Amino acid sequence: VKEDIVCILGLDNPEVMVTGFDRTNLYFEVRNGVPKDATVLDYVQKHPGDCGIIYCATRKNVDKVYAMLNKAGVSVTLYHAGLDIAKRENNQQDFIYERKLVMVATNAFGMGIDKSNVRYVLHYNMPQCIENYYQEAGRAGRDGGPAVCILLYSGQDVVTNQYFIEHARENDELDEQELQIVKDQDHKRLRQMTAYCFTEDCLRSYILRYFGEEAVDSCGNCGSCCGDFETQD
């Protein structure tokens, strides 16, 4: 992205500053093979006064999770591109001004949303790449207070993302060979995202190294560093 900005703006040897990606107040965790609906409902009900975002990969999942939480009496709203503009705007305002505490959404929600007191971000599905995951998870804890980022992984998430990559809207500016290069890069990022869901190493360190930063082996504030593992054949 830095190189793109320099190139597009035609900058001549500019001063480049990067403040770093580490958000020490965020707790990261991956839960593998858990019942997703029950896990989400349990977490939300145990944090009744907190603002949170639940990201889903598809509109269908957004509708399903919203219906489940709404039926359970949770203060919840939803956001995806299938809703009309007025409904999306109204639901977004309900969340920002805390008329509703929980937002269930696709990745269409969040750009430009500067809500500081989001205490948790749950990913019902694994995102397509680390960039997307960290951007979405990073909407938690912008006030500097402790916040939780939990990703619920299942093998179907990989299949869904592979489908999205192969059936992405074609770019008229790219020829067939260039499109294949883009798909290959997207598949590589998906493999790196999947590896994050299975690593026993520090999750924060995995993310920071992905973005080219040095990282300690143990952050003390993620599922790997705080969890107990038992090695089995």
Side-chain angles (χ1 to χ4, degrees), residues 25-57:
N25 61 314
L26 301 185
Y27 169 84
F28 293 98
E29 182 180 343
V30 176
R31 297 188 185 179
N32 228 311
V34 297
K36 293 189 178 187
D37 289 353
T39 300
V40 167
L41 180 59
D42 179 67
Y43 188 91
V44 171
Q45 289 181 327
K46 286 181 177 177
H47 301 82
D50 290 348
C51 290
I53 303 173
I54 302 166
Y55 279 108
C56 303

Side-chain angles (χ1 to χ4, degrees), residues 129-150:
C129 62
I130 294 287
E131 285 91 344
N132 291 359
Y133 175 65
Y134 202 48
Q135 183 182 67
E136 292 162 11
R139 296 189 176 114
R142 289 187 173 179
D143 56 4
V148 172
C149 307
I150 299 176

Side-chain angles (χ1 to χ4, degrees), residues 43-220:
Y43 188 91
V44 171
Q45 289 181 327
K46 286 181 177 177
H47 301 82
D50 290 348
C51 290
I53 303 173
I54 302 166
Y55 279 108
C56 303
T58 64
R59 301 176 191 179
K60 181 179 178 181
N61 279 340
V62 169
D63 291 337
K64 183 183 76 164
V65 173
Y66 165 78
M68 172 190 68
L69 295 177
N70 190 50
K71 183 179 180 181
V74 174
S75 175
V76 61
T77 188
L78 76 165
Y79 191 106
H80 59 63
L83 304 174
D84 63 59
I85 294 175
K87 183 66 173 175
R88 291 201 303 268
E89 178 67 21
N90 181 71
N91 291 356
Q92 179 175 300
Q93 295 302 311
D94 280 348
F95 179 66
I96 290 175
Y97 294 106
E98 299 186 15
R99 294 188 288 265
K100 300 291 185 180
L101 293 179
V102 180
M103 171 63 78
V104 185
T106 61
N107 59 10
F109 175 79
M111 294 301 290
I113 302 302
D114 188 20
K115 185 170 174 59
S116 65
N117 64 335
V118 175
R119 296 272 65 89
Y120 60 86
V121 172
L122 309 181
H123 275 81
Y124 189 84
N125 304 107
M126 181 188 73
Q128 194 170 300
C129 62
I130 294 287
E131 285 91 344
N132 291 359
Y133 175 65
Y134 202 48
Q135 183 182 67
E136 292 162 11
R139 296 189 176 114
R142 289 187 173 179
D143 56 4
V148 172
C149 307
I150 299 176
L151 193 164
L152 308 180
Y153 172 85
S154 71
Q156 182 61 41
D157 296 336
V158 179
V159 176
T160 300
N161 280 307
Q162 287 172 337
Y163 178 87
F164 287 157
I165 292 172
E166 290 301 323
H167 295 83
R169 192 179 304 169
E170 292 190 1
N171 188 331
D172 294 335
E173 297 178 1
L174 303 179
D175 60 31
E176 189 172 331
Q177 183 177 4
E178 290 170 331
L179 278 172
Q180 189 57 51
I181 291 173
V182 171
K183 286 184 179 181
D184 290 344
Q185 291 172 336
D186 287 341
H187 280 297
K188 179 182 178 181
R189 284 191 281 266
L190 177 58
R191 289 193 295 271
Q192 291 168 317
M193 182 74 250
T194 306
Y196 169 84
C197 295
F198 283 93
T199 184
E200 294 181 5
D201 297 333
C202 173
L203 298 177
R204 187 186 314 279
S205 296
Y206 185 101
I207 293 171
L208 293 178
R209 291 190 183 106
Y210 177 87
F211 288 116
E213 291 193 13
E214 293 185 6
V216 297
D217 292 333
S218 176
C219 71

